């Protein structure tokens, strides 16, 4: 049976993405994200089979939340084994985003998705780094006061990720409006969540 690599995210509007793109330079060897890859991950799910993918898409139809106002606030990095691994832009305020994350977790638990073990940190990945990347400090200093006007996240999107030679490609599977109504009963969500994850042909031996 085919599998699907899924994650759930918020997509910032184009003017905000354009601001982020203008910052994305100055670290040699960095693998900068494309505009299409800029998002705030609410929950990475990983590989699931086709039936569970459909269950996840259906479960998220019960999401009940209002649109969120947020803003970009500064940049930072994650390290792996003591080495810079990723640079990212922070998103605040934290608590409304964390509350949405918790609601998504509750819906996923209903269809058998194991709970997230890592703490939730709202951020948008800007670049992935390797052992030869750097230095990173000038980039962090130059963008330490990065800030944008407030903007709205109007919907949550379920994405499928496909790995390729140029990095991952993200395909939206379904969108769920953040309008303060139960998505499963709103007309806008009914259209989006009726999409079935496309079955992939089996790989050649």
């Amino acid at each position: 049976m085919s599998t699907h690599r899924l994650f759930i995210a918020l997509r910032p509007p184009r003017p905000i993405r354009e601001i982020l793109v203008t910052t994305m330079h100055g670290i040699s060897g960095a693998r900068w994200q494309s505009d299409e890859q800029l998002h705030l991950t609410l929950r990475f799910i990983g590989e699931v089979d086709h039936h569970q993918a459909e269950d996840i898409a259906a479960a998220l139809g019960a999401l009940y939340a209002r649109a969120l106002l947020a803003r970009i606030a500064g940049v930072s990095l994650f390290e792996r084994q003591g080495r810079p691994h990723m640079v990212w832009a922070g998103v605040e305020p934290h608590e409304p985003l964390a509350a949405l994350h918790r609601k998504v977790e509750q819906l996923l638990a209903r269809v058998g998705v194991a709970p997230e073990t890592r703490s939730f940190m709202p951020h948008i990945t800007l670049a992935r780094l390797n052992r030869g990347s750097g230095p990173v400090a000038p980039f962090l200093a130059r963008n330490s006061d990065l800030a944008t006007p407030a903007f709205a996240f109007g919907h949550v999107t379920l994405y499928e990720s496909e790995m390729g030679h140029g990095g991952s490609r993200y395909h939206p599977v379904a969108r769920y409006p953040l309008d303060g109504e139960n998505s499963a009963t709103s007309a806008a969500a009914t259209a989006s969540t009726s999409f079935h994850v496309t079955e992939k042909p089996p790989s050649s031996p």
Side-chain angles (χ1 to χ4, degrees), residues 134-148:
V136 179
F139 171 84
L140 298 178
R142 185 173 64 249
N143 295 288
S144 62
D145 59 351
L146 177 66
T148 67

Side-chain angles (χ1 to χ4, degrees), residues 43-100:
R43 180 62 151 84
F44 177 74
I45 299 170
E47 297 280 349
V48 297
D49 64 32
H50 182 72
H51 295 301
Q52 190 172 24
E54 290 189 321
D55 288 345
I56 289 168
L60 290 172
L63 183 64
Y64 177 90
R66 296 191 181 278
L68 295 175
L69 283 179
R71 70 183 189 96
I72 304 298
V75 296
S76 190
L77 62 83
F78 291 135
E79 293 185 339
R80 178 177 290 177
Q81 298 179 343
R83 295 178 179 272
H85 171 63
M86 177 190 301
V87 294
W88 47 269
V91 185
E92 59 179 33
H94 180 280
E95 182 48 40
L97 292 164
L100 179 60

Side-chain angles (χ1 to χ4, degrees), residues 93-162:
H94 180 280
E95 182 48 40
L97 292 164
L100 179 60
H101 167 77
R102 291 191 294 269
K103 289 182 179 181
V104 168
E105 284 281 10
Q106 291 166 3
L107 294 174
L108 293 177
R110 297 178 185 176
V111 291
V113 177
E116 177 66 82
T117 58
R118 296 174 298 182
S119 59
F120 176 66
M121 172 65 71
H123 70 277
I124 298 173
T125 299
L126 301 180
R128 302 183 188 278
L129 311 175
N130 55 43
R131 288 179 177 270
S133 301
V136 179
F139 171 84
L140 298 178
R142 185 173 64 249
N143 295 288
S144 62
D145 59 351
L146 177 66
T148 67
F151 60 91
F153 285 121
H155 60 270
V156 169
T157 303
L158 175 65
Y159 285 96
E160 179 167 6
S161 174
E162 291 186 339

Side-chain angles (χ1 to χ4, degrees), residues 13-33:
R14 180 178 296 276
I16 302 303
R17 301 196 312 268
E18 290 175 347
I19 292 172
L20 293 176
V21 168
T22 64
T23 71
M24 292 160 60
H25 61 88
I27 304 176
S28 64
R31 181 155 55 90
W32 298 101
Q33 299 292 89

Side-chain angles (χ1 to χ4, degrees), residues 127-201:
R128 302 183 188 278
L129 311 175
N130 55 43
R131 288 179 177 270
S133 301
V136 179
F139 171 84
L140 298 178
R142 185 173 64 249
N143 295 288
S144 62
D145 59 351
L146 177 66
T148 67
F151 60 91
F153 285 121
H155 60 270
V156 169
T157 303
L158 175 65
Y159 285 96
E160 179 167 6
S161 174
E162 291 186 339
M163 303 297 290
H165 294 299
S168 299
R169 298 184 63 184
Y170 306 143
H171 306 284
V173 172
R175 291 171 55 169
Y176 309 88
L178 297 176
D179 55 9
E181 297 181 6
N182 189 302
S183 298
T185 59
S186 71
T190 301
S192 62
T193 57
S194 65
F195 177 85
H196 290 282
V197 180
T198 303
E199 189 78 56
K200 296 178 182 176

